């Protein structure tokens, strides 16, 4: 038996090596939350003593409706106090609890209509890591030990213009990538896509992410123009809540319509399926309520015949990257993967071992050890923290 004894929250701003821009935001820091969970196990446990698990989330108001300060307060005042003292006998008991929560707090703790999936993602990860360490068990969702052989990380090109954009595209090409996602803004999307195609070549699999930049009629026209460059997949072309408009794009264009900001919880996915409003989904652990809920979103989308992209929030550390690798191992049907940027983007990463893609987008080694198999440099966390709070 092991029980939750305390938590500590960190409001983090880890600087980027270069800014990252798209139609919905421009960022220079991680703008994230870290959560430390203290778990105490008794003499009968596999690893008696005090253990520390860590979680991470990157709240984005345009994705889940949560600001970072709001998610921090929700964790501090509501979610973490309710978790204090909770006991589990094993990871096999914890995972069903998290699966039943399905990316949100139990309904008797919090109104399920309250935006919370980013905050709950930090809880999900911290509990998995902490209790995994307490029971000396690695976190696994299935019996698959490794991701499918064909899974590679995609290049991601921000909406920056000029020499900076040229340099980044050429670096990705020389580094052996064969897939790229191009972030586009409301204007100049056709020009940007044509330029990108010239730089990357005809064999590159290019897809576009508009981050809700276009109106419906505009999206129909631009998508058809971009299809002339061999682009078939379009991520979140229109407003997240315009489900009818997305369904129209599916019907009228015959192209792949991927949702991102439209999807976070189970209810949003069911609505998309019911209205046939997309052909593809971008599942990100931090927006979907954690690793277990993200796995549930993938399974349901696959049942509905959808294409799966496992994505990442800009600024994730190797903690979320480790969790993502576990998700990739559990979902062999993934077509696209984004993440594991590590020190390519972050000035420093407080989590080791570093999880960073290799040549051609090759995946780093799978996590090894109890929990997520990670170590966290708390000195670095405190150096980049704007605020810390204990809950006990």
């Amino acid at each position: 038996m092991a029980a939750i004894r305390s938590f500590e929250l960190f409001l983090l701003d880890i600087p980027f090596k270069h800014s990252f821009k798209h139609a919905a935001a421009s960022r220079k820091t991680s703008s994230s939350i870290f959560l430390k969970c203290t778990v105490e196990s008794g003499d009968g446990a596999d690893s008696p003593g005090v253990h520390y698990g860590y979680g991470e989330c990157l709240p984005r108001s345009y994705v889940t409706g949560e600001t970072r300060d709001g998610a921090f307060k929700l964790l501090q005042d509501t979610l973490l106090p309710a978790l204090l003292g909770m006991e589990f006998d094993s990871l096999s008991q914890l995972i069903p609890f998290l699966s039943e929560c399905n990316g949100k707090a139990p309904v008797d703790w919090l109104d399920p209509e309250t935006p919370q999936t980013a905050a709950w993602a930090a809880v999900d990860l911290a509990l998995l890591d902490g209790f995994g360490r307490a029971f000396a068990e690695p976190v696994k969702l299935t019996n698959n030990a490794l991701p499918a052989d064909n899974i590679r990380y995609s290049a991601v090109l921000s909406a920056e213009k000029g020499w900076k954009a040229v340099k980044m595209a050429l670096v990705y090409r020389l580094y052996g990538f064969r897939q790229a996602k191009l972030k586009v803004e409301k204007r100049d999307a056709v020009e940007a896509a044509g330029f990108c195609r010239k730089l990357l070549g005809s064999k590159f699999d290019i897809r576009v992410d508009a981050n809700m930049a276009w109106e419906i009629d505009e999206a129909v026209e631009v998508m058809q123009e971009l299809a002339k460059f061999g682009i078939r997949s379009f991520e979140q072309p229109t407003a997240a809540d315009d489900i009818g408009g997305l369904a129209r794009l599916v019907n009228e264009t015959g192209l792949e319509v991927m949702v991102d900001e439209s999807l976070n919880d189970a209810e949003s996915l069911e609505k998309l399926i019911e209205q046939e409003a997309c052909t593809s989904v971008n599942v990100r652990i931090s927006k979907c309520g954690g690793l277990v809920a993200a796995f549930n979103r993938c399974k349901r989308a696959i049942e509905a015949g959808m294409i799966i992209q496992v994505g990442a929030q800009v600024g994730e550390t190797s903690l979320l990257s480790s969790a993502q690798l576990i998700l990739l191992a559990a979902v062999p049907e993934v077509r696209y993967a984004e993440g594991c940027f590590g020190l390519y983007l972050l000035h420093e990463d407080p989590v080791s071992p570093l999880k960073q893609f290799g040549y051609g987008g090759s995946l780093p080694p799978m996590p090894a050890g109890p929990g997520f198999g990670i170590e966290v440099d708390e000195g670095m966390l405190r150096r980049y923290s704007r605020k810390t709070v204990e809950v006990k």
Side-chain angles (χ1 to χ4, degrees):
M1 179 73 72
I4 299 169
R5 294 303 180 220
S6 65
F7 294 98
E8 188 169 9
L9 279 164
F10 302 84
L11 199 70
L12 284 185
D13 278 310
I14 303 174
F16 292 170
K17 289 181 176 177
H18 51 83
S19 62
F20 192 90
K21 181 181 180 183
H22 56 70
S26 179
R27 301 194 181 281
K28 295 182 179 180
T29 74
S30 63
S31 189
S32 53
I33 295 172
F34 252 63
L35 174 62
K36 177 183 178 181
C37 175
T38 301
V39 175
E40 186 174 357
S41 55
D43 293 337
D46 294 326
S47 182
V50 176
H51 309 272
Y52 304 106
Y54 295 88
E56 175 185 11
C57 68
L58 297 91
R60 305 291 186 248
S61 59
Y62 57 89
V63 178
T64 66
E66 298 162 88
T67 65
R68 183 171 60 153
D69 288 342
F72 192 96
K73 182 174 175 57
L74 182 66
L75 285 162
Q76 177 185 338
D77 295 345
T78 303
L79 302 183
L80 302 186
L83 287 159
L84 289 174
M86 287 194 72
E87 298 178 337
F88 295 95
D89 291 325
S90 63
L91 271 183
S92 60
Q93 186 185 52
L94 171 63
I95 290 176
F97 165 74
L98 294 173
S99 187
E100 184 176 351
C101 290
N102 210 10
K104 294 183 177 181
V107 294
D108 55 340
W109 297 6
L110 184 66
D111 183 347
E113 296 301 314
T114 302
Q116 58 184 284
T117 51
W120 191 258
V123 170
D124 169 279
L125 297 173
L127 265 57
L128 288 169
D129 190 37
F131 282 94
R133 292 169 186 266
F135 298 120
E137 294 181 50
V139 176
K140 293 181 67 176
L141 298 174
T142 68
N143 291 326
N144 297 338
L146 296 169
D149 291 339
N150 65 319
I151 296 178
R152 293 289 185 273
Y153 280 108
S154 298
V156 180
L157 298 166
S158 82
E160 297 286 354
K161 301 289 193 300
W163 170 242
K164 185 175 182 180
V166 173
K167 180 181 177 182
M168 186 58 66
L170 292 177
V171 165
Y172 277 130
R173 180 171 179 172
L174 291 171
Y175 202 52
F177 280 87
R178 291 296 176 264
Q179 294 178 343
K181 179 163 84 175
L182 174 64
K183 297 277 191 175
V184 296
E185 298 182 295
K186 186 173 180 64
R187 296 178 179 84
D188 303 324
V190 175
E191 179 183 346
F195 187 60
C196 187
R197 176 60 75 193
K198 288 180 181 179
L199 287 173
L200 297 178
S202 60
K203 295 182 179 179
F204 234 89
D205 179 356
I206 301 175
R207 59 194 188 277
V208 159
D209 183 1
N211 286 103
M212 308 174 289
W214 302 321
E215 301 297 328
I216 297 298
D217 289 339
E218 182 182 22
V220 171
E221 180 180 349
V222 176
M223 288 168 64
Q224 290 171 342
E225 285 294 313
L226 294 180
K228 296 175 183 178
F229 296 107
I231 297 170
R232 304 293 303 173
S233 177
F234 298 85
E235 184 174 332
Q236 204 64 56
T238 62
D241 59 355
D242 188 0
I243 307 304
L246 289 166
R248 179 184 159 193
L249 293 181
V250 172
N251 291 328
E252 291 190 15
T253 69
L255 298 166
E256 294 176 11
V257 176
M258 181 183 294
V259 294
D260 180 10
E261 288 87 351
S262 295
L263 166 66
N264 51 66
D265 58 14
E267 291 76 18
S268 62
L269 179 55
E270 290 304 321
K271 187 174 182 180
L272 291 162
I273 293 171
E274 179 183 344
Q275 298 194 32
E276 299 181 348
C278 63
T279 64
S280 320
V281 292
N282 184 6
V283 177
R284 297 192 273 180
I285 293 171
S286 180
K287 71 163 184 176
C288 286
L291 177 58
V292 175
F295 179 56
N296 290 344
R297 298 295 87 74
C298 286
K299 288 193 298 181
R300 180 68 183 101
I302 290 167
E303 288 176 0
M306 293 182 178
I307 295 166
I308 305 297
Q309 174 176 288
V310 169
Q313 304 284 166
V314 177
E316 292 183 0
T317 73
S318 291
L319 193 166
L320 266 164
S321 295
S322 295
Q324 188 196 61
L325 289 167
I326 294 168
L327 181 59
L328 290 175
V331 188
E333 298 90 346
V334 169
R335 178 180 294 186
Y336 300 115
E338 299 169 356
C340 280
F341 279 90
L343 296 180
Y344 295 129
L345 179 62
L346 296 174
H347 181 68
E348 291 187 275
D349 192 327
V351 178
S352 60
L354 179 68
K355 297 301 181 185
Q356 184 171 285
F357 59 71
Y359 181 80
S362 60
L363 276 59
M366 289 293 293
F372 292 127
I374 60 170
E375 298 297 330
V376 176
D377 184 339
E378 285 200 20
M380 193 182 298
L381 282 187
R382 297 184 191 283
R383 188 161 70 249
Y384 290 122
S385 287
R386 293 178 52 203
K387 179 181 181 182
T388 62
V389 172
E390 288 187 283
V391 178
K392 57 185 179 180

